[in-house]
Structure formats: structure tokens, C-alpha cells
Amino acid sequence: ASENDFERPVPAAQRGLKANENQRLPLLEAQSHARIGELCFQLERGADAVHHLGAALPVFERLGARTDAIGIRWWIVLANLQRGEVDEAQRWAESVTDVHVEPKVGTMGYDVGAQAELSLARGDIDGGLRQWRQVIDLLNSAGGETSAGVPLLFDPWQVEARVVALAAHAQHGKVELVADLPNALEERLMNLLASRIVNPPPYLMEFQLGGSMLMALALADLAAAQRSSDEPAIRAAVRLIALAERFGYVRNFQPTMASGRIRAMVT
């Protein structure tokens, strides 16, 4: 997956799952299910993600791994949104919103982001965009310089939240409400391209990180070009979107980051 290939890791993870099933080691089995579910997000196989995450959840809950269990519940919310099951996503969200876990920099505002996509999926555009701005405010207030050993500038959630927030505002013609985000993401992207991370952890996918930032910036450019009917700028933005697709981009938060939705914007 670090090489931006999400097809090949799935069979490998499935083989690992089968091996763990034979060993009768519930935690390893649950971790394998969670990993397959995570990979399914990027392949936009929401139903498969729900299946594997649902298999992992009871084990984490039985072991008292509260933070992991809550994270998986929010993933199930997003997986249901990905497959268009908005009511089911809402049901899962309601089952976890009253549970408090001390937020970490690497996940701060993740629940609000999921709620924002729920709002957008239900047609509450102003509410969903407001919730994404709330996420950015939370992250901007976070202290520290690193998260899980990665510079905060390149922390996957710090980047993803800003990407989805900008993409959502661009899709709904409201980029002016997050006017500082394009420059902030462009700066992060230039930093990533100019200074590759030394010995990055396995979970850090630099190609996808860069592609995600490029996608959000291209969507903002496209929105501005369409508003002014600037055909050369529209064509340039479309080429950037195609380049971002080649790099790969995060697709966890839908409807905003759904590939079909983005492609429909350029046809």
C-alpha cells in the first residue's frame, strides 16, 4: 500500500487472516479484519469494509480496547456512507457519540468529520461545511510538533482533514469560507515534494498524501475557474485532478471524496 497499490495487499491480508484463524488467536484475527477493512476503504468497497470491521469490533470490545473499538465504530459509519446506507451510518454514529475518549492529535476531530459527511449526505450543506470548519479549528488549536513519530505537517489525519474540508467547500462553491486552506495545503505539498520523510513509518503513504493535497487544490482551482468561465483554467484544473488520481488520494470521507462524484465534476 505504501507504493500506492491497494489491490495486491488485499489478497495478502486475506492470507494473513486465514493463517490467524487457523491459529485461533482472536486479537491477530481481529487486526487482520481491521486491516482488510481499511484497505477496502481505498478501493471504495464499502460493503466489504463493513463486513470486516464488524468482525473485528467484538474482539476489541471484549478485550477492553476502548479507543480501538470506538475508532472502528466511526470507520463503520464511514463505510456505510461509502455504500450509500445513510440511515445505517446514522444509527452507528448515534451508538458512539455519547462515549468519551480523550482525543489525541492524530485523531482529534475525526468524529466531527464523520458527522460532517453525514450532514452532507443528508443534504445539510451549511451544517456539514460548518462541521468541517470546526474540525480545522480543533486541529489548528492542537499543540506539539509530531504525531506518532511523524512531523505534524505530514500527519495523515492533519492532512486528510484539511483535504476533505477544502474539497467539500470547493464542491459547494464556498471556498471563501476556508480562504486560508489552499495556501496551507500548497505549503505542505511543496514541503513534502522538496523534503522526503526519512525512514517513514509503514502506515505513512507519501504518494497518497501528496495526491490528496493535489486533489483538494485542483478542486478549488476548478471551482474558481468554473465560476469565472475560464476555459484554459478549467482544463488546467482537470489535468491536475487526473494527476492526483494517478498519485492516489484518500477516499475515506464520502460523499465528498467519492471518485464518482469527483469525476462527474469534470465531465
Side-chain angles (χ1 to χ4, degrees):
S2 64
E3 296 177 359
N4 211 32
D5 181 351
F6 290 92
E7 291 286 353
R8 285 191 300 167
V10 173
Q14 289 172 332
R15 289 193 296 273
L17 173 61
K18 189 169 184 61
N20 289 329
E21 286 175 343
N22 293 336
Q23 294 294 323
R24 297 291 190 273
L25 298 171
L27 179 57
L28 290 179
E29 186 177 335
Q31 289 172 332
S32 295
H33 275 297
R35 178 57 175 152
I36 296 171
E38 182 182 4
L39 291 168
C40 286
F41 268 121
Q42 285 307 304
L43 297 171
E44 295 183 287
R45 288 163 42 181
D48 289 335
V50 168
H51 166 73
H52 287 287
L53 295 171
L57 179 60
V59 178
F60 286 112
E61 290 184 329
R62 189 167 67 248
L63 294 174
R66 231 164 137 254
T67 300
D68 290 327
I70 290 172
I72 286 175
R73 283 181 174 273
W74 283 116
W75 274 4
I76 292 174
V77 171
L78 295 174
N80 275 300
L81 283 175
Q82 193 174 94
R83 66 184 186 134
E85 295 291 342
V86 180
D87 289 342
E88 186 69 2
Q90 183 70 54
R91 186 179 72 81
W92 277 94
E94 289 171 355
S95 76
V96 70
T97 48
D98 292 333
V99 180
H100 177 73
V101 172
E102 193 64 33
K104 298 179 181 178
V105 172
T107 57
M108 186 179 291
Y110 201 93
D111 54 341
V112 183
Q115 292 281 9
E117 290 300 296
L118 261 171
S119 297
L120 294 173
R122 290 201 177 280
D124 180 7
I125 306 305
D126 289 341
L129 297 181
R130 185 170 56 251
Q131 286 167 308
W132 272 120
R133 293 195 298 276
Q134 181 184 346
V135 174
I136 301 308
D137 288 342
L138 285 169
L139 293 178
N140 285 339
S141 68
E145 297 181 357
T146 62
S147 173
V150 175
L152 210 58
L153 197 65
F154 305 129
D155 173 75
W157 171 235
Q158 291 271 338
V159 172
E160 183 178 13
R162 289 170 170 82
V163 162
V164 185
L166 179 55
H169 283 77
Q171 289 173 5
H172 297 288
K174 302 285 188 180
V175 173
E176 70 277 4
L177 297 178
V178 286
D180 59 328
L181 271 184
N183 286 338
L185 278 176
E186 185 174 350
E187 181 182 351
R188 285 175 189 249
L189 179 58
M190 292 301 102
N191 271 303
L192 181 66
L193 294 175
S195 55
R196 296 291 298 274
I197 300 169
V198 179
N199 296 322
Y203 68 82
L204 186 68
M205 294 176 283
E206 292 177 81
F207 281 114
Q208 188 190 60
L209 208 62
S212 300
M213 290 187 277
L214 182 60
M215 177 62 79
L217 291 167
L219 290 173
D221 287 349
L222 180 64
Q226 289 175 333
R227 191 163 52 249
S228 61
S229 299
D230 185 337
E231 290 300 325
I234 289 173
R235 289 193 293 272
V238 169
R239 286 194 293 271
L240 285 178
I241 288 171
L243 181 60
E245 281 204 335
R246 294 293 299 274
F247 270 89
Y249 61 94
V250 287
R251 306 178 188 207
N252 299 342
F253 285 85
Q254 298 195 12
T256 295
M257 301 307 293
S259 60
R261 181 186 185 91
I262 291 173
R263 287 170 188 161
M265 294 176 65
V266 301
T267 57

